[in-house]
Amino acid sequence: MIELKTPAEVEAMKPAGAFVATVLDALEAHATVGVNLLELDKLAHRMIREAGATSCYIDYHPSFGGSPFGHVLCTSVNDAVLHGLPHDYRLRDGDLLTVDFAIELGGWVADSARSFVVGTPQDEADLQLIRATREALDAAIAVATPGHKLGDISAAIGQVAASYGYGVNTQFGGHGVGRTMHGDPHVPNTGRAGRGLPLRPGLVIAIEPWFMAGTDEIYTDPDGWTLRSVDGSRGAHSEHTIAITDGAPLVLTAPVASPAAG
């Protein structure tokens, strides 16, 4: 069931979104060459505890997961493209890392992901892949306004992917966000413009384009969670939780602006 939030409820979701952005900023700054993925998970866990938030991941066990997730952060490296289970791995120069993070704070959930290269980029193709997911996210957010339909969001993502020559896997995509992490509607990463659910103020969704450089097919790692590209090509993922309003969309997980230097 799709639930529309009142303006007051959308306002109440802002602290959760701001906290997710703050944690992702801290993780990106900490994810340097030699840092262990488990160390990143511990950092996120500590920040959750200090904020009085609750992880959406640690006990998460959907039908596609091999067991309860057991960590508070998804860390997907290189050909691991989604749901990367943190493990004993030290980041190397040039790794393409995606961190995906969702929590509940004050009764409301926020969910966001970002990809970046650790250390010195080794291949321009990695930067292009990351750039493509960010452009797709921006294009999708731009049409997330009343008068458009859900298909316009999906089509905007798919058009950016096609412009770069990337295929699109439709097994996983965006979703409704509210009191729980995953709700209706499902937001595919490709689709037909002008089709589907009319976008109305109060709809809160996570939009999350994720692309792979060489394929649109994935398989599940023996850990029961990590999804990898079938050809070993790298993946990137950009995600924001947004609220549709009477005007421009509100990006709840946008990075918090730093105070201007004075």
Side-chain angles (χ1 to χ4, degrees):
M1 183 176 68
I2 296 171
E3 296 182 355
L4 300 180
K5 280 67 174 179
T6 67
E9 288 174 329
V10 170
E11 186 70 21
M13 296 183 76
K14 287 182 177 179
F19 176 68
V20 166
T22 297
V23 172
L24 289 179
D25 285 345
L27 292 168
E28 184 170 358
H30 195 72
T32 55
V33 175
V35 169
N36 197 299
L37 296 181
L38 294 174
E39 185 179 337
L40 294 178
D41 190 67
K42 288 179 181 178
L43 171 59
H45 206 156
R46 176 175 60 78
M47 294 181 74
I48 288 172
R49 190 167 55 249
E50 290 174 351
T54 302
S55 171
C56 293
Y57 291 169
I58 198 161
D59 294 322
Y60 186 52
H61 191 188
S63 59
F64 58 82
S67 61
F69 191 74
H71 294 272
V72 301
L73 182 67
C74 291
T75 53
S76 303
V77 182
N78 297 332
D79 67 319
V81 295
L82 283 180
H83 306 163
L85 192 69
H87 60 285
D88 184 13
Y89 174 83
R90 293 192 178 276
L91 292 166
R92 301 170 184 173
D93 198 34
D95 276 346
L96 199 169
L97 173 64
T98 298
V99 286
D100 193 350
F101 183 66
I103 53 87
E104 176 267 318
L105 181 65
W108 295 103
V109 168
D111 187 5
S112 185
R114 67 179 68 167
S115 294
F116 51 90
V117 174
V118 176
T120 305
Q122 307 295 312
D123 193 337
E124 173 60 31
D126 291 342
L127 300 179
Q128 175 181 284
L129 185 63
I130 294 168
R131 185 164 59 246
T133 64
R134 292 176 179 172
E135 289 179 11
L137 182 57
D138 289 343
I141 292 171
V143 296
T145 57
H148 287 100
K149 294 188 176 181
L150 194 66
D152 295 314
I153 290 175
S154 299
I157 295 169
Q159 287 164 8
V160 172
S163 74
Y164 280 92
Y166 302 136
V168 176
N169 180 288
T170 56
Q171 290 173 256
F172 297 93
H175 48 88
V177 178
R179 296 289 187 181
T180 59
M181 177 171 58
H182 289 145
D184 293 329
H186 174 62
V187 186
N189 282 331
T190 191
R192 294 177 62 184
R195 302 292 294 272
L197 178 76
L199 303 180
R200 296 171 56 191
L203 180 65
V204 179
I205 54 176
I207 302 174
E208 48 179 314
W210 61 279
F211 305 148
M212 295 175 285
T215 183
D216 61 2
E217 297 182 22
I218 54 177
Y219 71 94
T220 304
D221 225 27
D223 67 17
W225 275 101
T226 303
L227 300 178
R228 297 186 183 275
S229 62
V230 296
D231 64 354
S233 61
R234 294 185 169 197
H237 179 193
S238 294
E239 177 183 15
H240 274 313
T241 298
I242 72 149
I244 294 168
T245 74
D246 288 318
L250 175 63
V251 182
L252 293 164
T253 51
V256 179
S258 299

